[in-house]
Amino acid sequence: MAEILKPTDENLRILREFLRLGGLVAVPTETVYGLAANALDADACAKIFEAKKRPSNDPLICHVASYEALEAFCETNEASKILAEAFWPGPLTFVLPKKDTIPSIVTADLDSVAVRSPNHPVFRQLIEGCDFPLAAPSANPFAYISPTRASHVEANLGDRIEYILEGGPCEYGVESTIVDLRDPTNPKILRYGALPVEKIENALKKRLPRPTPKLDQEIIAIAPGSLPKHYSPRTPLELRASTVSERELIESDQTTAYLLIRKPKSARAANIHWLSEKGKLETIASSLFAKLRELDDAEYQRIIAEEAPELGLGLAINDRLRRASFR
Ligand code: TXA
Ligand code: MG
């Protein structure tokens, strides 16, 4: 079983050396826990695909300590500079043209690489002492719910990896926003995430093309991991565009779990769950994956979830819920 290590100086030294020599370590970030390997070591990165049972055509994000560290392995541009100044370190990933220093297994043979600099203090302490970038997808088995606690990683990958670095619950609870900057004059959003698109648009002073379920195939051609089924509990999940009525809640039976955006006015029963008291999007996002896991483990026959408002972080929340509901 994997050992969960506290982020002491001594443990961080051990983990850096373990990573340098080609080992896998699950690490906390401000979005979700990642499964990290030395991004310059193709054999180490191959172990990530094996542990997650992830198809080899789904490329990995490379994590760096600073914007300056990108120089060694991708081509930066004016748009990446503006966005890094505004939002790095933080939950924003750039897709940029790659250099040959990054092994092709990391980028699934694409000529671009996805890069981000996380702001989780434990992750920063770890990576600031590494002289290599860390390739890290979310630390969940392929297509299952992403992990936002060390215990989630332990439950899913505990028998496949040696170390999990403890960093507490993830602040944002949904993955980074991904922006395609290969053509700096035409940036595109590839994945909604923890950094609201509106903030990226303000920084670049223009509206950006956004993903919609209809554009899925176009997005998959650029970002092969954007599959319609993802973040999926084993329990079938049905997504409701409108609020579930109190009457439906009161009449519901205990085999159906309700996952509401906010606490209902009066309906109370063991099968009625909510993601926030008052509908605050930050709270909904940070509790989403943990709550989905809890409901999945509770052996309901189905889960009925409500959509969040379609703006800001709500876009990322609804994207995850839609994919989780895909059958
Ligand atoms: O918040 C996050 O981004 C987390 C933490 C651990 O940093 N990581 C994460 O990685 O969500 P992952 O592997 O679960 O999702 C990465 C997504 C995939 O959909 C993949 O297709 C896309 O990034 N991607 C990676 N490299 C790409 C590239 N060169 N071009 C386009 N999309 C890419
Ligand atoms: Mg993932």
Side-chain angles (χ1 to χ4, degrees), residues 115-187:
V115 290
R116 100 170 176 100
S117 187
N119 72 10
H120 191 295
V122 172
F123 188 94
R124 294 209 65 74
Q125 242 186 303
L126 178 75
I127 200 165
E128 276 165 7
C130 291
D131 55 4
F132 45 84
L134 290 173
S138 50
N140 49 308
F142 181 67
Y144 194 60
I145 308 163
S146 303
T148 53
R149 313 269 188 277
S151 60
H152 298 163
V153 183
E154 187 183 33
N156 292 151
L157 301 179
D159 57 351
R160 299 182 215 166
I161 61 175
E162 281 173 72
Y163 299 113
I164 302 169
L165 178 57
E166 177 61 77
C170 301
E171 180 190 349
Y172 291 96
V174 290
E175 292 83 350
S176 61
T177 306
I178 305 181
V179 57
D180 179 4
L181 298 179
R182 288 172 305 162
D183 172 1
T185 62
N186 184 22

Side-chain angles (χ1 to χ4, degrees), residues 32 52 54 137-140 144 146 175 191 230-231:
V32 300
K52 276 183 62 95
R54 178 177 176 116
S138 50
N140 49 308
Y144 194 60
S146 303
E175 292 83 350
R191 177 174 76 180
H230 202 163
Y231 318 105

Side-chain angles (χ1 to χ4, degrees), residues 24-100:
L24 293 188
V25 179
V27 293
T29 84
E30 72 278 33
T31 57
V32 300
Y33 274 74
L35 183 58
N38 177 350
L40 305 180
D41 180 340
D43 293 339
C45 292
K47 293 183 201 162
I48 294 180
F49 289 90
E50 214 175 285
K52 276 183 62 95
K53 301 204 188 330
R54 178 177 176 116
S56 59
N57 69 349
D58 189 354
L60 309 176
I61 298 177
C62 290
H63 300 71
V64 290
S66 67
Y67 188 70
E68 289 64 43
L70 293 183
E71 192 61 33
F73 58 91
C74 65
E75 311 282 350
T76 56
N77 55 42
E78 193 53 28
S80 64
K81 187 159 171 263
I82 293 171
L83 292 177
E85 266 167 21
F87 304 115
W88 274 21
L92 177 62
T93 295
F94 307 145
V95 172
L96 289 165
K98 88 185 260 286
K99 293 184 179 167
D100 289 343

Side-chain angles (χ1 to χ4, degrees), residues 197-212:
V197 197
E198 295 87 340
K199 291 198 177 174
I200 301 171
E201 292 179 331
N202 284 346
L204 292 176
K205 300 194 177 66
K206 63 165 146 191
R207 256 190 81 82
L208 306 187
R210 300 175 177 196
T212 65

